[in-house]
Amino acid sequence: GCGSDSDGVFHTEGNKLRMGTNATFPPYESVDENNNVVGIDADIAQTIADKLGMKLEIINMEFDALIPALNAGQLDFAMAGMTASPERAEQVDFTTSYATGIQAIIVPEGSEIAAIEDLADKKVGVQTGTTGDLYCTDDLGEDHVQRFESGVVATQALLNGQIDAVVIDNEPAKAYVAANEGLKILDTHYAVEDYAAAIAKGNTELHDKINGVLEELKAAGTIDEIIAKYIHE
């Protein structure tokens, strides 16, 4: 069995493993032309499901809704380029980290902003609920942060001159800069952080299973291979 027939906490619907994500975060997750969720997290989740002999179902939702959905039992786990921050760890349990994210700063070419310190009196765009949002709100204060539903929309606002900079994960940042003329990424990182899968507190059986698979995949170099497929250093 795959746990669904045991008396432990790990009850999934039939043989399904439900993974929640917010597919606006390439190359970790985005939606392709057939409306399928694709990317690093989708591939890793598929590999986890295969190893556990289960069928993966990916549920795309707002980033802010992921942790409540986990705790309400609507999801088995979440992978969304989610940082294992202490605040979040109070609400959910995190697996071992499977990737490292860097928060980058995007500014227009010719901007006077050259370092983090220069953001102090500026208007910074972020994606709602991301660590970029948390850091900037903590460091700069609510008045200097403008929240957007996605990095794409934040980048548009930057191009339109509504904000002075965008703080977002380095990988989507590179994609946005490549797609839009007149933008650049600063050499200084805002933060470096570890991504992990989130599981509802107390669901120790699933937590142990996913952790076991992740350790196995890391040791075999499988995760590096999946990341290398999407991120060409």
Side-chain angles (χ1 to χ4, degrees):
C2 299
S4 44
D5 53 355
S6 76
D7 297 325
V9 191
F10 180 32
H11 290 291
T12 58
E13 294 173 34
N15 199 26
K16 257 195 335 207
L17 196 58
R18 299 162 303 166
M19 183 268 245
T21 195
N22 172 240
T24 64
F25 196 62
Y28 286 93
E29 42 267 319
S30 55
V31 177
D32 69 9
E33 59 277 8
N34 303 319
N35 227 19
N36 295 316
V37 175
V38 295
I40 292 170
D41 285 349
D43 284 5
I44 294 174
Q46 185 59 62
T47 311
I48 291 169
D50 292 346
K51 289 263 185 197
L52 296 177
M54 301 181 75
K55 284 193 176 64
L56 180 69
E57 181 191 350
I58 299 180
I59 302 163
N60 189 10
M61 54 175 71
E62 291 298 318
F63 190 84
D64 278 357
L66 290 168
I67 288 177
L70 273 174
N71 289 329
Q74 294 157 351
L75 301 172
D76 297 307
F77 69 116
M79 285 179 83
M82 190 183 282
T83 304
S85 68
E87 297 81 11
R88 287 179 186 149
E90 288 172 15
Q91 299 171 282
V92 289
D93 287 334
F94 282 106
T95 61
T96 179
S97 168
Y98 61 85
T100 302
I102 292 167
Q103 291 290 320
I105 305 164
I106 309 175
V107 295
E109 296 276 3
S111 166
E112 60 188 39
I113 298 170
I116 293 179
E117 301 77 58
D118 300 332
L119 295 173
D121 52 351
K122 300 289 190 288
K123 194 81 166 158
V124 178
V126 295
Q127 182 185 352
T128 308
T130 58
T131 43
D133 179 359
L134 300 175
Y135 296 145
C136 291
T137 307
D138 280 354
D139 298 345
L140 309 169
E142 288 281 351
D143 298 349
H144 292 284
V145 176
Q146 197 167 332
R147 298 186 177 90
F148 298 91
E149 67 193 38
S150 72
V152 176
V153 185
T155 307
Q156 275 316 123
L158 181 62
L159 286 165
N160 298 342
Q162 295 160 260
I163 50 178
D164 302 300
V166 170
V167 171
I168 198 153
D169 184 88
N170 198 38
E171 293 310 323
K174 287 196 290 206
Y176 302 146
V177 168
N180 297 287
E181 276 186 39
L183 299 179
K184 64 175 184 178
I185 295 173
L186 295 188
D187 289 338
T188 51
H189 303 320
Y190 202 98
V192 178
E193 53 203 7
D194 291 317
Y195 292 156
I199 297 166
K201 278 209 177 296
N203 194 350
T204 47
E205 189 181 343
L206 182 60
H207 187 267
D208 294 346
K209 284 187 175 184
I210 290 183
N211 250 353
V213 174
L214 282 174
E215 293 295 359
E216 213 178 295
L217 296 178
K218 281 208 273 192
T222 310
I223 289 191
D224 289 339
E225 281 167 31
I226 289 173
I227 291 173
K229 206 169 95 181
Y230 293 90
I231 299 176
H232 311 291
E233 289 307 340

